[in-house]
Amino acid sequence: MGKLHPLTSNFALETTIDKILTNTEKDILSNIKSSLAESQQKLEDSLPKLETEYDKIISDGKKEADKIEKQILGSADIEVRNKQLLALEEAVDRVFGKALEQITNADRSGDYSNLIKSLIEESTQILGTSEVMVFTNAKDKDIVQSTLSQFPGSQLSPDVIDCIGGIIVKSKDGAMTFDSTIDARIDRLKPLIRKDVAAKFGVGN
Protein backbone atom coordinates (compact mmCIF):
# COMPACT_ATOMS: atom_id res chain seq x y z
CA MET A 1 0.00 0.00 0.00
CA GLY A 2 1.42 3.34 -1.08
CA LYS A 3 1.98 6.19 1.27
CA LEU A 4 -0.28 9.39 0.77
CA HIS A 5 1.28 12.71 0.25
CA PRO A 6 0.71 14.99 3.37
CA LEU A 7 -1.17 17.62 1.37
CA THR A 8 -3.44 15.00 -0.14
CA SER A 9 -4.14 13.65 3.36
CA ASN A 10 -5.10 17.08 4.79
CA PHE A 11 -7.43 17.86 1.92
CA ALA A 12 -9.29 14.60 2.39
CA LEU A 13 -9.63 15.25 6.09
CA GLU A 14 -11.00 18.76 5.56
CA THR A 15 -13.44 17.47 2.95
CA THR A 16 -14.69 14.81 5.36
CA ILE A 17 -15.10 17.34 8.18
CA ASP A 18 -16.99 19.73 5.87
CA LYS A 19 -19.36 16.96 4.91
CA ILE A 20 -19.92 16.05 8.54
CA LEU A 21 -20.53 19.68 9.48
CA THR A 22 -22.86 20.21 6.54
CA ASN A 23 -24.87 17.09 7.39
CA THR A 24 -24.97 18.05 11.05
CA GLU A 25 -26.15 21.52 10.17
CA LYS A 26 -28.88 20.09 7.96
CA ASP A 27 -29.99 17.74 10.72
CA ILE A 28 -30.09 20.54 13.28
CA LEU A 29 -32.05 22.84 10.95
CA SER A 30 -34.41 20.01 10.14
CA ASN A 31 -34.99 19.29 13.82
CA ILE A 32 -35.55 22.97 14.54
CA LYS A 33 -38.09 23.25 11.71
CA SER A 34 -39.80 20.11 12.88
CA SER A 35 -39.95 21.32 16.46
CA LEU A 36 -41.20 24.71 15.35
CA ALA A 37 -43.90 23.14 13.21
CA GLU A 38 -44.89 20.85 16.06
CA SER A 39 -45.05 23.75 18.49
CA GLN A 40 -47.14 25.80 16.12
CA GLN A 41 -49.51 22.91 15.62
CA LYS A 42 -49.85 22.39 19.37
CA LEU A 43 -50.53 26.09 19.81
CA GLU A 44 -53.17 26.05 17.08
CA ASP A 45 -54.74 22.92 18.59
CA SER A 46 -54.87 24.51 22.02
CA LEU A 47 -56.39 27.81 20.84
CA PRO A 48 -60.04 26.62 20.86
CA LYS A 49 -59.61 25.27 24.38
CA LEU A 50 -57.97 28.51 25.53
CA GLU A 51 -60.75 30.52 23.92
CA THR A 52 -63.36 28.35 25.66
CA GLU A 53 -61.64 28.78 29.02
CA TYR A 54 -61.35 32.52 28.40
CA ASP A 55 -65.07 32.78 27.61
CA LYS A 56 -65.89 30.73 30.72
CA ILE A 57 -63.74 32.97 32.92
CA ILE A 58 -65.45 36.08 31.50
CA SER A 59 -68.89 34.48 31.91
CA ASP A 60 -68.20 33.36 35.51
CA GLY A 61 -66.84 36.81 36.32
CA LYS A 62 -69.96 38.47 34.96
CA LYS A 63 -72.22 36.11 36.93
CA GLU A 64 -70.29 36.81 40.12
CA ALA A 65 -70.46 40.57 39.47
CA ASP A 66 -74.23 40.33 38.89
CA LYS A 67 -74.61 38.30 42.10
CA ILE A 68 -72.63 40.85 44.13
CA GLU A 69 -74.61 43.71 42.56
CA LYS A 70 -77.92 42.04 43.52
CA GLN A 71 -76.65 41.44 47.06
CA ILE A 72 -75.64 45.09 47.38
CA LEU A 73 -78.97 46.31 45.99
CA GLY A 74 -80.85 43.84 48.21
CA SER A 75 -79.02 45.02 51.31
CA ALA A 76 -79.65 48.64 50.36
CA ASP A 77 -83.37 47.95 49.84
CA ILE A 78 -83.63 46.23 53.23
CA GLU A 79 -81.80 49.10 54.92
CA VAL A 80 -84.09 51.68 53.29
CA ARG A 81 -87.17 49.64 54.23
CA ASN A 82 -86.02 49.32 57.83
CA LYS A 83 -85.46 53.07 58.05
CA GLN A 84 -88.91 53.70 56.58
CA LEU A 85 -90.52 51.34 59.08
CA LEU A 86 -88.65 52.96 61.95
CA ALA A 87 -89.68 56.46 60.80
CA LEU A 88 -93.26 55.28 60.43
CA GLU A 89 -93.29 53.72 63.90
CA GLU A 90 -91.88 56.90 65.44
CA ALA A 91 -94.43 59.07 63.60
CA VAL A 92 -97.35 56.88 64.67
CA ASP A 93 -96.13 56.89 68.29
CA ARG A 94 -95.88 60.69 68.25
CA VAL A 95 -99.42 61.02 66.92
CA PHE A 96 -100.80 58.60 69.49
CA GLY A 97 -98.86 60.35 72.24
CA LYS A 98 -100.43 63.70 71.34
CA ALA A 99 -103.89 62.13 71.08
CA LEU A 100 -103.55 60.52 74.51
CA GLU A 101 -102.37 63.82 75.97
CA GLN A 102 -105.40 65.62 74.53
CA ILE A 103 -107.79 62.94 75.81
CA THR A 104 -106.22 63.05 79.26
CA ASN A 105 -106.69 66.80 79.48
CA ALA A 106 -110.09 66.87 77.77
CA ASP A 107 -113.13 68.41 79.47
CA ARG A 108 -115.25 65.65 81.11
CA SER A 109 -118.60 66.95 80.00
CA GLY A 110 -120.69 67.23 76.84
CA ASP A 111 -119.21 64.94 74.19
CA TYR A 112 -117.26 62.98 76.78
CA SER A 113 -120.46 62.20 78.67
CA ASN A 114 -121.98 60.91 75.43
CA LEU A 115 -118.85 58.82 74.88
CA ILE A 116 -119.19 57.16 78.30
CA LYS A 117 -122.84 56.39 77.55
CA SER A 118 -121.85 54.80 74.23
CA LEU A 119 -119.15 52.71 75.92
CA ILE A 120 -121.61 51.39 78.51
CA GLU A 121 -124.17 50.54 75.81
CA GLU A 122 -121.58 48.75 73.72
CA SER A 123 -120.15 46.85 76.72
CA THR A 124 -123.52 45.59 77.99
CA GLN A 125 -124.45 44.49 74.47
CA ILE A 126 -121.18 42.59 74.06
CA LEU A 127 -121.52 40.93 77.49
CA GLY A 128 -125.22 40.27 76.86
CA THR A 129 -126.33 41.53 80.26
CA SER A 130 -127.07 44.81 81.99
CA GLU A 131 -126.27 43.29 85.40
CA VAL A 132 -122.77 44.68 85.41
CA MET A 133 -120.16 46.24 87.65
CA VAL A 134 -118.47 49.26 86.04
CA PHE A 135 -114.93 50.36 86.85
CA THR A 136 -113.37 53.69 85.92
CA ASN A 137 -110.62 56.07 87.03
CA ALA A 138 -110.97 58.71 89.73
CA LYS A 139 -111.34 61.53 87.22
CA ASP A 140 -114.30 59.92 85.40
CA LYS A 141 -116.04 58.54 88.48
CA ASP A 142 -118.70 61.24 88.78
CA ILE A 143 -119.62 61.29 85.12
CA VAL A 144 -119.80 57.48 84.95
CA GLN A 145 -121.94 57.39 88.11
CA SER A 146 -124.29 59.94 86.56
CA THR A 147 -124.54 58.01 83.29
CA LEU A 148 -125.21 54.66 84.97
CA SER A 149 -128.57 55.99 86.15
CA GLN A 150 -129.71 55.27 82.57
CA PHE A 151 -128.71 51.60 82.85
CA PRO A 152 -130.77 49.68 85.41
CA GLY A 153 -128.87 46.75 86.89
CA SER A 154 -125.52 48.45 86.49
CA GLN A 155 -123.38 49.51 89.43
CA LEU A 156 -120.25 51.60 89.80
CA SER A 157 -117.41 49.85 91.57
CA PRO A 158 -115.92 51.72 94.55
CA ASP A 159 -112.50 50.62 93.28
CA VAL A 160 -110.86 52.90 90.74
CA ILE A 161 -108.64 51.74 87.92
CA ASP A 162 -105.56 53.30 86.38
CA CYS A 163 -106.39 54.45 82.85
CA ILE A 164 -106.64 57.58 80.74
CA GLY A 165 -110.40 57.33 80.47
CA GLY A 166 -113.29 55.03 79.70
CA ILE A 167 -114.52 52.01 81.62
CA ILE A 168 -114.05 48.31 82.32
CA VAL A 169 -117.32 46.40 82.58
CA LYS A 170 -117.70 43.06 84.37
CA SER A 171 -120.77 40.90 84.65
CA LYS A 172 -121.84 40.74 88.28
CA ASP A 173 -121.23 36.99 88.38
CA GLY A 174 -117.61 37.75 87.39
CA ALA A 175 -117.74 35.42 84.37
CA MET A 176 -117.23 38.09 81.70
CA THR A 177 -115.20 41.25 81.40
CA PHE A 178 -114.95 43.81 78.62
CA ASP A 179 -112.18 46.38 78.65
CA SER A 180 -113.54 49.56 77.12
CA THR A 181 -110.99 51.95 78.50
CA ILE A 182 -109.61 54.45 76.03
CA ASP A 183 -106.20 52.94 76.63
CA ALA A 184 -107.37 49.47 75.53
CA ARG A 185 -109.32 50.79 72.55
CA ILE A 186 -106.30 52.71 71.29
CA ASP A 187 -104.11 49.65 71.73
CA ARG A 188 -106.58 47.62 69.64
CA LEU A 189 -106.78 50.31 66.96
CA LYS A 190 -103.09 51.10 66.82
CA PRO A 191 -102.03 48.12 64.66
CA LEU A 192 -104.82 48.81 62.16
CA ILE A 193 -104.00 52.51 61.96
CA ARG A 194 -100.30 51.72 61.59
CA LYS A 195 -101.13 49.30 58.78
CA ASP A 196 -103.26 51.87 56.94
CA VAL A 197 -100.60 54.55 57.26
CA ALA A 198 -97.90 52.15 56.08
CA ALA A 199 -100.01 51.15 53.08
CA LYS A 200 -100.56 54.79 52.10
CA PHE A 201 -96.84 55.40 52.17
CA GLY A 202 -96.09 52.14 50.36
CA VAL A 203 -93.99 50.80 53.21
CA GLY A 204 -96.03 47.69 53.93
CA ASN A 205 -96.53 45.97 57.26
Side-chain angles (χ1 to χ4, degrees):
M1 190 173 181
K3 191 173 180 181
L4 293 175
H5 190 277
L7 292 176
T8 301
S9 177
N10 287 340
F11 178 74
L13 180 58
E14 291 176 357
T15 300
T16 300
I17 291 172
D18 285 343
K19 287 182 179 179
I20 293 172
L21 290 175
T22 300
N23 290 334
T24 301
E25 182 181 2
K26 288 180 179 177
D27 289 342
I28 291 173
L29 289 175
S30 176
N31 289 335
I32 291 174
K33 288 181 179 178
S34 177
S35 297
L36 180 60
E38 185 179 353
S39 297
Q40 288 177 335
Q41 186 60 48
K42 286 182 178 178
L43 181 60
E44 290 177 0
D45 292 343
S46 64
L47 278 178
K49 184 179 179 181
L50 291 174
E51 289 176 350
T52 301
E53 290 180 353
Y54 174 80
D55 291 341
K56 186 174 184 305
I57 290 172
I58 295 299
S59 177
D60 290 346
K62 187 175 184 306
K63 288 179 181 177
E64 187 65 21
D66 291 343
K67 181 180 176 183
I68 293 172
E69 182 182 10
K70 288 180 180 178
Q71 289 175 341
I72 293 173
L73 292 176
S75 299
D77 288 343
I78 291 174
E79 184 177 353
V80 169
R81 177 181 165 77
N82 288 339
K83 287 183 178 178
Q84 288 176 328
L85 289 173
L86 182 61
L88 173 66
E89 187 69 23
E90 291 174 351
V92 170
D93 286 342
R94 282 198 301 273
V95 171
F96 274 102
K98 289 182 180 178
L100 291 175
E101 183 180 352
Q102 290 177 359
I103 292 171
T104 301
N105 299 323
D107 180 22
R108 266 30 183 182
S109 62
D111 291 340
Y112 193 78
S113 177
N114 292 331
L115 171 64
I116 292 296
K117 181 180 178 182
S118 298
L119 295 179
I120 296 172
E121 287 176 343
E122 180 190 48
S123 301
T124 54
Q125 288 176 3
I126 290 174
L127 296 182
T129 178
S130 59
E131 296 293 326
V132 294
M133 182 70 72
V134 181
F135 299 78
T136 190
N137 61 19
K139 190 173 183 180
D140 292 350
K141 202 167 184 178
D142 290 341
I143 195 168
V144 171
Q145 178 68 74
S146 174
T147 307
L148 285 181
S149 61
Q150 305 175 49
F151 296 89
S154 64
Q155 181 180 351
L156 179 64
S157 171
D159 299 327
V160 294
I161 58 176
D162 182 18
C163 68
I164 294 172
I167 55 174
I168 290 178
V169 179
K170 290 184 178 181
S171 60
K172 286 186 177 177
D173 61 6
M176 298 178 292
T177 300
F178 183 70
D179 189 343
S180 197
T181 58
I182 292 174
D183 313 54
R185 297 177 75 88
I186 287 178
D187 284 342
R188 290 195 289 267
L189 286 173
K190 196 172 181 179
L192 298 177
I193 294 173
R194 184 190 294 113
K195 183 178 179 181
D196 288 343
V197 173
K200 287 182 180 179
F201 284 93
V203 179
N205 295 327

